[in-house]
Amino acid sequence: MKEGRWLVPPAVRPVLQALAAAGHDSYLVGGAVRDIVLGRSPHDLDVATSARPEEIKRLFARTIDTGIRHGTVAVGTEDGWIEVTTFRSDGPYLDGRHPQYVVFESRLESDLARRDFTMNAMALTMDGELVDPFGGRSDLQLGRLACVGDPQRRFREDGLRLMRALRFAVTYDLELAPATKAALWEVCDAIRPVAKERIGQELLRLSEGHWYRRIELLAGCPLWQTIGGPLALLPIAVAAIRQRYRPMQVDAPPPTGLPAIALWYAMVDGGPQHAYQLALQFALGRRQALWLRAATTLIQRLVCDSTQSWSAADLFATNREVAQEAAYACAWLFADTPEVVRGAWRAIEQQPLWTLADLAVSGRELQVLGANGKDIGRLLTILRDAVLAREVANTREALMALAARERVRLHAEKGEES
């Protein structure tokens, strides 16, 4: 981290200049400042100002009342929309998620004092001067995540901050400050009012970070049991990874995102179904639920017996993209036994069939043999299983010959039944 001044993104400068010209204090705040201090590219650009919402709307031609009751107005610029919020302090948090009301303030420090973590309670002037009343930059230099003020109060105000603490610790590779960690352990019940969808989104963002570097934190945190459901198994899963594997010493990076979640649940009994339920309960979506169940199934096959590679039937039950992501996850998991991974990739490369559409014959062609109705479905299933078992080549000639024989057999069976 450099000393002195930082460069304020050009996209936000016109907004800061317009507010200053009208006599208002204004600053770039929040995550963008944190990322600039860390030398990363900032994303969400948020401005805090002494101007009231009605004054903000008078100053700019294009505005949207995105949260005007709490002082937030989105301002349209050539580079997109920037949220501009009046300095404020929060009233009581009666629902464990949102303040009952806000009080507009005239000083930046009052606004920064209500924020969750010190690294998110910094601001930049238009000239790039850092305003850091709570030592956020120092905490970042020390690799530490600390709450602003009383940690228990911060977490009880908004239970989602418990998940955000874990997510920030993982994605920014930070240690929890002792008081912050103690509070997180003590007030886990503050998570109860939080919507499952918000928890799911934080979990997904956490999984995209350097989770293995913080595996002790994830394995030991009691928050997962408080949330319950499939997440209660997460400490068991990551503890099993920590105990059985040492892939951090090799070059292959740990999987992130959905493949990471699939890997976690591959370590517990019933993992595929738990992963599926996780996605549904925490609103990750049905498509992601099916993806997780399929990927977890493949990874767990090798976890349970690394001497057996994936069968053609295993791969047919999923798709090529899922299988490839599972193989990449296994490349990290089985870094010490690369032959396991080579077997997985060989199975993918030699897979004879991924969908029924890959069969060299179609249901319409089977009608030539006199098959119709349910017989067509039964014949396609027979052909599929024969190709997957490598009993017949996936060519039109071979499949039509097999279908003709099976058609005779099915016809004979019907005659016996009648």
Side-chain angles (χ1 to χ4, degrees), residues 29 45 63 85 101 106 140 163 193 201 233 276 284 304 324 392:
V29 294
L45 302 178
T63 64
T85 304
Y101 58 84
S106 59
L140 285 175
M163 282 295 298
Q201 290 305 309
L233 297 170
Y276 178 80
L284 300 184
C304 292
Q324 289 172 336
V392 64

Side-chain angles (χ1 to χ4, degrees), residues 17-262:
Q17 288 169 345
L19 289 164
H24 301 293
D25 294 334
S26 60
Y27 303 83
L28 180 67
V29 294
V33 179
R34 172 196 67 222
D35 290 340
I36 290 170
V37 169
L38 287 170
R40 303 184 180 191
S41 297
H43 297 288
D44 297 330
L45 302 178
D46 298 317
V47 170
T49 180
S50 58
R52 298 300 174 94
E54 60 273 14
E55 295 171 310
I56 298 169
K57 294 178 69 173
R58 281 199 298 267
L59 277 175
F60 298 97
R62 292 192 300 147
T63 64
I64 299 175
D65 297 350
T66 51
I68 197 165
R69 188 168 69 92
H70 293 98
T72 300
V73 176
V75 171
T77 72
E78 292 182 357
D79 297 294
W81 294 90
I82 293 174
E83 288 200 336
V84 181
T85 304
T86 305
F87 298 152
R88 69 193 193 194
S89 59
D90 294 337
Y93 286 71
L94 299 183
D95 66 352
R97 278 289 288 120
H98 309 96
Q100 188 178 20
Y101 58 84
V102 300
V103 177
F104 294 147
E105 302 282 357
S106 59
R107 298 173 59 253
L108 171 67
E109 287 73 14
S110 299
D111 187 86
L112 297 180
R114 68 180 181 83
R115 296 176 183 262
D116 51 7
F117 305 105
T118 61
M119 70 176 192
N120 296 331
M122 299 184 289
L124 282 180
T125 68
M126 185 167 55
D127 295 329
E129 181 181 350
L130 184 68
V131 180
D132 184 17
F134 301 102
R137 181 167 176 263
S138 174
D139 283 334
L140 285 175
Q141 288 176 320
L142 294 171
R144 179 172 61 197
L145 182 69
C147 286
V148 175
D150 178 12
Q152 286 208 15
R153 178 182 176 183
R154 288 285 90 90
F155 289 139
R156 290 210 177 276
E157 286 173 342
D158 180 357
L160 188 63
R161 289 170 176 167
L162 295 162
M163 282 295 298
R164 283 168 59 84
L166 295 178
R167 193 246 297 178
F168 283 137
V170 167
T171 55
Y172 288 91
D173 198 13
L174 302 172
E175 294 281 356
L176 295 181
T180 297
K181 182 176 181 179
L184 195 159
W185 259 241
E186 292 166 7
V187 300
C188 286
D189 60 306
I191 198 72
R192 299 191 190 282
V194 179
K196 291 289 178 60
E197 179 180 3
R198 299 302 302 274
I199 294 174
Q201 290 305 309
E202 289 295 327
L203 178 70
L204 194 57
R205 295 173 75 180
L206 179 156
S207 72
E208 292 168 351
H210 308 293
W211 59 270
Y212 193 82
R213 295 180 186 174
R214 293 285 165 247
I215 201 165
E216 297 287 345
L217 173 65
L218 297 179
C221 182
L223 183 62
W224 312 116
Q225 283 83 4
T226 304
I227 297 171
L231 276 182
L233 297 170
L234 185 58
I236 301 172
V238 296
I241 292 174
R242 176 191 58 188
Q243 180 178 356
R244 294 176 56 182
Y245 301 96
R246 306 294 176 195
M248 63 187 299
Q249 300 172 359
V250 302
D251 293 334
T256 58
L258 290 179
I261 297 175

